[in-house]
């Protein structure tokens, strides 16, 4: 069964969805027959991921829902939080924000109950960004703050910085440029404190896009130049 898990996981990362799906389905049948619930939940999550990649959203939701039910039987709060968060993201992408919101709230409740701090930070971030995309600013700021506090507790500074950059990027796309620059500058300040060249470069790149939106072309070029300088110290592509 572990071999099937490895094949399925490696194949999906290589973009070999059919191979991954076949391995996951074989693994799911085996896990069911042996009563291996944790393996069953993991195979279901793989099937859900592949179904989403293939645009088979009904199959994706079905697999994630069964996975959530399996984690509930296992009393695995980390698994419940992860899977409820995934369901929230799918429903949000499908335009059903009401259902997405319910699953986001469940994911955070599971994380708190199970002391799953890492899941709490990620799910709070995704919830905040979902609210931000809807233009519900007060709720967005609340959950983004929760996410950043959680990432700080974990010393997860890359996630802390990315929370600011992702929020700023959404706001730039919405034309809320004054609010966006606050997030970008916060992310850049944190990145510089951590001396993380890749994220500093990304921060300057986002700032360049921000200044392009303002049609302040000199500032855009200057920030783009700084991004290029920092990218030279990393293996990250532009």
């Amino acid at each position: 069964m572990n071999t099937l898990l490895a094949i399925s996981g490696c194949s999906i990362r290589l973009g070999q969805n059919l191979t991954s799906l076949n391995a996951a389905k074989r693994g799911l049948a085996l896990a069911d027959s042996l009563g291996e619930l944790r393996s069953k939940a993991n195979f279901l999550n793989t099937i859900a991921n592949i179904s989403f990649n293939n645009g088979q959203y009904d199959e994706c939701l079905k697999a994630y829902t069964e996975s959530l039910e399996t984690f509930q039987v296992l009393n695995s709060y980390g698994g419940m939080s992860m899977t409820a968060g995934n369901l929230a993201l799918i429903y949000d992408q499908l335009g059903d924000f009401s259902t997405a919101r319910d699953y986001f709230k469940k994911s955070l409740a599971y994380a708190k109950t199970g002391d799953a701090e890492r899941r709490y930070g990620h799910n709070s971030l995704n919830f905040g960004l979902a609210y931000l995309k809807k233009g519900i600013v007060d709720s967005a700021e609340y959950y983004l703050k929760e996410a950043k506090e959680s990432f700080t507790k974990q010393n997860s500074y890359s996630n802390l910085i990315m929370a600011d950059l992702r929020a700023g990027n959404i706001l730039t796309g919405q034309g809320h440029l004054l609010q966006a620059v606050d997030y970008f500058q916060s992310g850049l300040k944190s990145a510089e404190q951590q001396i993380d060249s890749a994220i500093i470069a990304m921060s300057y790149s986002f700032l360049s896009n921000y200044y392009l939106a303002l049609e302040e072309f000199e500032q855009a070029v200057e920030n783009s130049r700084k991004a290029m300088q920092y990218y030279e110290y990393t293996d990250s592509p532009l």
Side-chain angles (χ1 to χ4, degrees):
M1 194 179 311
N2 288 336
T3 301
L4 289 171
L5 275 172
I7 292 171
S8 182
C10 289
S11 296
I12 196 171
R13 285 192 290 273
L14 293 171
Q16 298 172 353
N17 284 348
L18 183 58
T19 301
S20 180
L21 183 61
N22 288 337
K25 286 183 174 180
R26 288 173 59 198
L28 178 60
L30 181 59
D32 255 338
S33 69
L34 296 174
E36 292 283 350
L37 293 182
R38 188 168 297 278
S39 294
K40 175 182 177 178
N42 289 333
F43 282 122
L44 283 165
N45 279 341
T46 298
I47 291 168
N49 288 336
I50 297 168
S51 298
F52 178 79
N53 291 340
N54 291 338
Q56 298 168 320
Y57 301 121
D58 288 342
E59 289 298 315
C60 172
L61 293 172
K62 179 182 176 183
Y64 272 139
T65 300
E66 191 175 350
S67 174
L68 177 58
E69 292 168 353
T70 305
F71 279 127
Q72 287 170 337
V73 173
L74 287 166
N75 207 33
S76 170
Y77 287 99
M80 285 187 270
S81 179
M82 175 189 68
T83 307
N86 287 337
L87 280 162
L89 289 171
I90 301 302
Y91 277 110
D92 183 42
Q93 186 157 331
L94 293 176
D96 186 352
F97 184 69
S98 177
T99 302
R101 182 174 54 208
D102 290 342
Y103 275 111
F104 273 129
K105 289 180 178 179
K106 287 179 182 179
S107 74
L108 296 178
Y110 291 142
K112 279 189 173 181
T113 302
D115 196 27
E117 189 68 56
R118 187 174 68 86
R119 295 308 328 163
Y120 188 83
H122 284 290
N123 289 338
S124 293
L125 172 60
N126 288 330
F127 201 8
L129 295 176
Y131 268 124
L132 198 59
K133 291 173 185 174
K134 298 287 289 185
I136 306 172
V137 177
D138 289 347
S139 295
E141 289 180 344
Y142 172 81
Y143 285 107
L144 288 170
K145 182 172 179 288
E146 288 282 291
K148 291 172 69 173
E149 288 177 355
S150 177
F151 291 142
T152 300
K153 287 179 187 176
Q154 301 169 62
N155 295 322
S156 183
Y157 295 107
S158 60
N159 284 318
L160 176 66
I161 295 161
M162 287 306 299
D164 279 326
L165 298 184
R166 290 178 67 187
N169 202 37
I170 289 170
L171 288 164
T172 299
Q174 293 174 333
H176 303 307
L177 301 179
L178 290 177
Q179 296 96 317
V181 74
D182 290 338
Y183 282 103
F184 286 143
Q185 289 176 343
S186 174
L188 176 59
K189 181 179 178 181
S190 298
E192 288 176 335
Q193 289 172 346
Q194 297 305 312
I195 320 177
D196 188 322
S197 295
I199 297 183
I200 293 172
M202 194 178 299
S203 302
Y204 278 122
S205 181
F206 279 135
L207 275 169
S208 178
N209 291 336
Y210 161 79
Y211 283 113
L212 273 175
L214 282 178
E215 296 186 358
E216 294 186 12
F217 299 115
E218 288 186 9
Q219 287 282 4
V221 170
E222 176 63 16
N223 281 278
S224 180
R225 183 186 63 77
K226 289 178 180 178
M228 291 286 290
Q229 286 179 334
Y230 279 99
Y231 273 122
E232 289 177 0
Y233 296 106
T234 75
D235 294 324
S236 300
L238 286 175

